[in-house]
Amino acid sequence: MKLVILDRDGVINHDSDQYIKSPEEWKPIPGSLAAIARLNQAGYRVVVATNQSGVGRGLFETDTLIAIHDKMLKALTQVGGRIDAIFFCPHTNTDNCDCRKPKPGMLREIAARFNADLTGVPAVGDSLRDLQAAAAVGAQPMLVLTGKGRKTVDDPALPPDTLVFPDLAAAAAHIAR
């Protein structure tokens, strides 16, 4: 099985320091939805792994998060794309859970659910924690320069084997070649 793991905010959609708290605030990054469709057409199952501490902070409810994801999935359908599963961590840093990236718990859950070895699986993110979680499970960290990516690229803690792309469209073109 061919699998790709994507972060959501800053990779698929524009990020906000104030959190994406409603479907109206969710806006796709140009080319990102077509990039996911391209991955699907190349035979990849696309899974989203996203930290959503806004739920744990009480900024929005799980029902709202589901509505945001529904908007994303409907927008994807319109361009012939799909996401096979969405995994999210609702916790804050102080909850000390195993699922909040940079910890690898959410990615391990993806591996278990899909009965997949994540060694070498492309994992696309815009923040250091996305890439650290990927490296912890042996996945291939891929940084996009959208979202927080321009700041992340200069971080000395960047996993050494990280591939860097301008955006998800460029990462998908590399993956699906």
Side-chain angles (χ1 to χ4, degrees), residues 38-157:
R38 179 176 185 171
L39 291 168
N40 296 148
Q41 290 159 3
Y44 282 90
R45 298 186 81 175
V46 177
V47 178
V48 170
T50 179
N51 286 348
Q52 292 295 322
S53 68
V55 173
R57 296 173 198 275
L59 299 175
F60 52 92
E61 300 292 323
T62 304
D63 288 353
T64 302
L65 181 62
I66 291 167
I68 292 167
H69 289 161
D70 282 347
K71 179 179 179 181
M72 177 175 67
L73 296 173
K74 284 179 181 143
L76 260 171
T77 300
Q78 293 175 352
V79 298
R82 73 178 185 286
I83 290 173
D84 291 278
I86 300 171
F87 291 75
F88 70 93
C89 170
H91 306 112
T92 65
N93 283 333
T94 58
D95 290 328
N96 209 16
C97 64
D98 288 330
C99 55
R100 184 170 172 77
K101 295 179 285 183
K103 291 184 180 173
M106 196 171 0
L107 299 187
R108 287 192 179 123
E109 177 66 25
I110 291 168
R113 182 88 54 89
F114 284 85
N115 194 27
D117 177 1
L118 297 185
T119 303
V121 166
V124 183
D126 69 316
S127 70
L128 183 62
R129 65 177 158 233
D130 300 324
L131 307 171
Q132 290 171 324
V137 297
Q140 172 61 63
M142 296 181 148
L143 174 67
V144 289
L145 299 178
T146 50
K148 297 176 182 72
R150 293 206 184 280
K151 189 168 57 173
T152 304
V153 74
D154 295 324
D155 195 310

Side-chain angles (χ1 to χ4, degrees), residues 20-38:
I20 304 301
K21 301 177 296 302
S22 70
E24 295 73 34
E25 293 177 15
W26 186 90
K27 306 260 189 278
I29 293 170
S32 67
L33 301 181
I36 293 170
R38 179 176 185 171

